[in-house]
Amino acid sequence: MATLCIRSSKVTSVRSGFGARVRLGADRSVAALRARRVTPATSRSEFFVAASSADNKLCYDDLVNYISAGCKPKEKWRIGTEHEKFPFLLEDCRPAGYDKIKLLLEGLRDRFDWTPIMENGYMIGVQQNGQSVTLEPGGQFELSGAPLESLHLTCSEVNSHLYQVKSIAEEIGVAFLGCGFQPKWSVEDTPVMPKGRYAIMKKYMPTVGSMGLDMMFRTCTVQVNLDFESEQDMVEKFRIGLALQPVITALFAASPFKDGKPNGMVSYRSHVWTDTDNARTGDLPWVFEEGMGFARYVDWVLDVPMYFVYRDGQYLNAIGMSFRDFMAGELPLLPGEYPTLQDWENHLSTVFPEVRMKKFLEMRGADSGPFRRICALPAFWVGLLYDDQAQKEALELIADWTEQERRDLKAGVSTHGLRTKFRDGTVQDLALKCLKIAEGGLMRRGSNEQTFLKELQVIAETGVSPADWMLEKYNGDWNGSVDGAYSDLQY
């Protein structure tokens, strides 16, 4: 059944009880901020509209309502954690090719009863009980966790996943590296996974930025996905997430090497995003402006050029085309055809800001790392954003920051990390303040989840980031070689 197209001056939610849209002013006071079985690669659900004709086409409100449908009461908020890691060959530390990746996926299917995800005859992932294991362009192995109620469950999920993949990997001469950027091997040394959208992106990336291929093939991250209660709550969380993402980048900085030597930065992964594809990345300063809400985000995504359209199991190249034209039935690739909500969901996945919105918010500013830091990332953000008092304190912390200050913070942490200057102090000082707020938020949740912050508290108190530790090892025990990373940073 098609979604009703509600054309009105006010966005209408598809779920009752969301409240009116907020219009938040440019006033930076906190008061102003607060007042305003075999599965195909792309699945379809009954919610998606088969909008292939003018009689059944999507309208603007459908796109907004798709995102706003993510609003949920606090008791239904969940935590979804994702992390990536580099699979490599134990014999020479080279990136694992698809032949080995396939064995890993088959092992998960046969030994642990995961359901394969197929594309054009290739197994490109597996899924089970709300979790999925998928492949990034260069074979980076990603666990997208199920939406879970607590950090304890999240950490247990990660632990179980690592047990499963390591038990299979050991038998085929493969291990996993936990850091933010491939320390040794080039893009040319990295195999390409057999996913149609990656072939399209690989050709396109060099035309819009100098580091797009590095992003695709040589980076790994950890992120957390969080819910919101209303449009106002989303705006507050979005603003806190964007403003404080540099703090996370500094705490998690773990990519000081490139091509076998130091690259002059502590988070080269973060730096890569500065020249990947500026049409779909960036600081999103308008999030802090009057009028921010679901519709404002939709407006931005609509202006981002398309990558592809998925039809009949194939990714069709729509590089540079306009989703607005698609909405009008004027997409040159498919003239006279209109998009479905699945097309909209796919397009939402092709924008890459530090905080990304779908039906939830993704916090995307951290380098990947070992088990303890995978658990620490959701602890930080849940502590700040899943407790009313902590969220209020976080808003107070960022309330008077200027756009230039936020931009300088983001630019500085890639190189200087915790030592980045901010007003009369450093990002290290900010990190300590944020961790104190997060700890209070977790304690008030009453589940003893604050223990997952310990890794970050040590980093913030000492001022020694993972990258600092890696560089010390490089100049010491590793004898000027990054090869030591493949043992010391191995999962």
Side-chain angles (χ1 to χ4, degrees):
M1 183 173 67
T3 299
L4 292 176
C5 186
I6 306 169
R7 291 178 175 84
S8 67
S9 60
K10 179 179 178 181
V11 176
T12 304
S13 167
V14 297
R15 192 183 303 215
S16 64
F18 282 1
R21 293 180 59 208
V22 291
R23 292 293 182 185
L24 298 180
D27 186 340
R28 288 188 172 85
S29 71
V30 176
L33 284 169
R34 294 196 69 88
R36 49 192 197 193
R37 282 288 168 200
V38 172
T39 303
T42 303
S43 62
R44 301 289 193 268
S45 78
E46 63 183 5
F47 181 68
F48 295 138
V49 179
S52 58
S53 69
D55 294 333
N56 197 29
K57 65 181 180 179
L58 298 179
C59 68
Y60 177 83
D61 285 356
D62 293 319
L63 308 185
V64 177
N65 290 342
Y66 174 83
I67 297 176
S68 69
C71 292
K72 31 179 86 67
K74 291 180 182 180
E75 62 269 17
K76 293 187 178 181
W77 288 359
R78 296 295 182 265
I79 306 162
T81 305
E82 306 180 18
H83 81 272
E84 301 162 353
K85 48 201 170 291
F86 295 106
F88 66 92
L89 304 179
L90 285 168
E91 61 182 1
D92 58 10
C93 298
R94 285 185 171 274
Y98 181 71
D99 58 336
K100 296 290 189 180
I101 299 291
K102 180 183 176 184
L103 293 176
L104 288 169
L105 295 173
E106 289 176 341
L108 290 172
R109 177 196 65 190
D110 298 338
R111 192 175 303 180
F112 299 105
D113 200 30
W114 290 69
T115 301
I117 302 170
M118 307 297 294
E119 182 182 315
N120 293 328
Y122 292 99
M123 191 185 303
I124 58 167
V126 291
Q127 60 184 13
Q128 181 186 81
N129 298 328
Q131 308 169 71
S132 64
V133 175
T134 53
L135 309 178
E136 292 299 300
Q140 302 98 313
F141 221 63
E142 178 178 5
L143 172 68
S144 296
L148 300 171
E149 293 186 37
S150 75
L151 294 170
H152 297 289
L153 292 175
T154 290
C155 211
S156 176
E157 175 188 66
V158 173
N159 190 46
S160 175
H161 166 75
L162 291 176
Y163 164 75
Q164 292 182 13
V165 296
K166 286 172 63 178
S167 68
I168 300 165
E170 288 172 358
E171 299 170 1
I172 60 174
V174 169
F176 296 96
L177 175 68
C179 61
F181 193 84
Q182 170 58 253
K184 185 172 184 177
W185 306 104
S186 67
V187 170
E188 291 72 26
D189 293 322
T190 306
V192 183
M193 295 300 104
K195 295 179 70 170
R197 65 183 288 174
Y198 295 157
I200 293 172
M201 292 172 66
K202 186 180 181 184
K203 292 179 181 178
Y204 177 66
M205 282 297 186
T207 70
V208 290
S210 63
M211 293 184 281
L213 296 183
D214 285 329
M215 180 277 290
M216 289 180 65
F217 293 98
R218 299 208 281 179
T219 63
C220 276
T221 187
V222 55
Q223 70 178 54
V224 64
N225 305 325
L226 300 175
D227 290 315
F228 41 79
E229 185 175 34
S230 63
E231 187 168 38
Q232 177 173 335
D233 186 48
M234 176 277 293
V235 172
E236 291 183 1
K237 286 178 165 63
F238 210 134
R239 289 175 172 176
I240 293 167
L242 282 178
L244 295 182
Q245 214 65 224
V247 174
I248 279 295
T249 299
L251 286 168
F252 281 75
S255 45
F257 304 119
K258 177 187 177 186
D259 299 331
K261 58 183 181 295
N263 56 45
M265 299 187 175
V266 293
S267 179
Y268 196 80
R269 181 207 59 83
S270 177
H271 172 67
V272 159
W273 285 106
T274 63
D275 194 20
T276 289
D277 182 349
N278 290 335
R280 63 191 76 241
T281 61
D283 301 328
L284 309 190
W286 44 265
V287 169
F288 297 86
E289 295 174 357
E290 181 178 359
M292 172 54 189
F294 295 123
R296 181 66 185 86
Y297 190 81
V298 167
D299 290 341
W300 177 67
V301 177
L302 282 173
D303 289 332
V304 173
M306 294 176 66
Y307 274 157
F308 59 83
V309 177
Y310 189 82
R311 289 290 183 272
D312 301 321
Q314 300 293 323
Y315 287 93
L316 307 180
N317 190 334
I319 289 294
M321 298 181 191
S322 165
F323 204 91
R324 293 185 189 275
D325 289 346
F326 202 3
M327 294 280 289
E330 299 173 357
L331 193 73
L333 179 67
L334 298 169
E337 184 170 335
Y338 296 85
T340 67
L341 278 174
Q342 179 67 68
D343 293 320
W344 176 234
E345 182 182 275
N346 288 342
H347 188 53
L348 285 168
S349 75
T350 66
V351 299
F352 308 116
E354 295 274 85
V355 178
R356 179 166 65 182
M357 183 160 55
K358 296 176 181 176
K359 293 184 178 182
F360 45 83
L361 292 174
E362 302 176 354
M363 303 294 168
R364 298 166 43 85
D367 286 6
S368 192
F371 172 72
R372 292 184 306 279
R373 289 207 298 278
I374 294 173
C375 299
L377 183 79
F380 180 92
W381 289 115
V382 167
L384 289 182
L385 300 179
Y386 272 19
D387 172 77
D388 288 345
Q389 181 177 328
Q391 185 164 315
K392 179 181 178 181
E393 291 173 4
L395 276 175
E396 290 172 347
L397 179 64
I398 69 167
D400 64 345
W401 293 8
T402 67
E403 179 181 338
Q404 188 61 51
E405 285 178 321
R406 294 193 300 269
R407 186 180 298 119
D408 290 345
L409 268 180
K410 186 174 184 294
V413 292
S414 297
T415 301
H416 305 293
L418 292 167
R419 292 179 288 276
T420 303
K421 300 295 184 183
F422 182 76
R423 294 187 174 177
D424 295 329
T426 64
V427 170
Q428 182 181 4
D429 300 321
L430 281 178
L432 289 167
K433 291 177 182 177
C434 291
L435 287 165
K436 183 177 180 180
I437 295 171
E439 183 177 30
L442 293 176
M443 291 177 67
R444 284 185 291 275
R445 278 169 58 86
S447 299
N448 197 33
E449 295 169 314
Q450 62 271 20
T451 183
F452 295 113
L453 290 175
K454 288 182 179 178
E455 177 86 357
L456 300 184
Q457 288 167 335
V458 170
I459 292 169
E461 289 166 2
T462 62
V464 179
S465 72
D468 295 327
W469 178 87
M470 293 162 69
L471 288 166
E472 182 180 348
K473 296 287 281 189
Y474 175 84
N475 292 311
D477 295 347
W478 297 352
N479 297 314
S481 170
V482 298
D483 289 350
Y486 292 89
S487 56
D488 287 2
L489 300 178
Q490 185 181 141
Y491 284 94

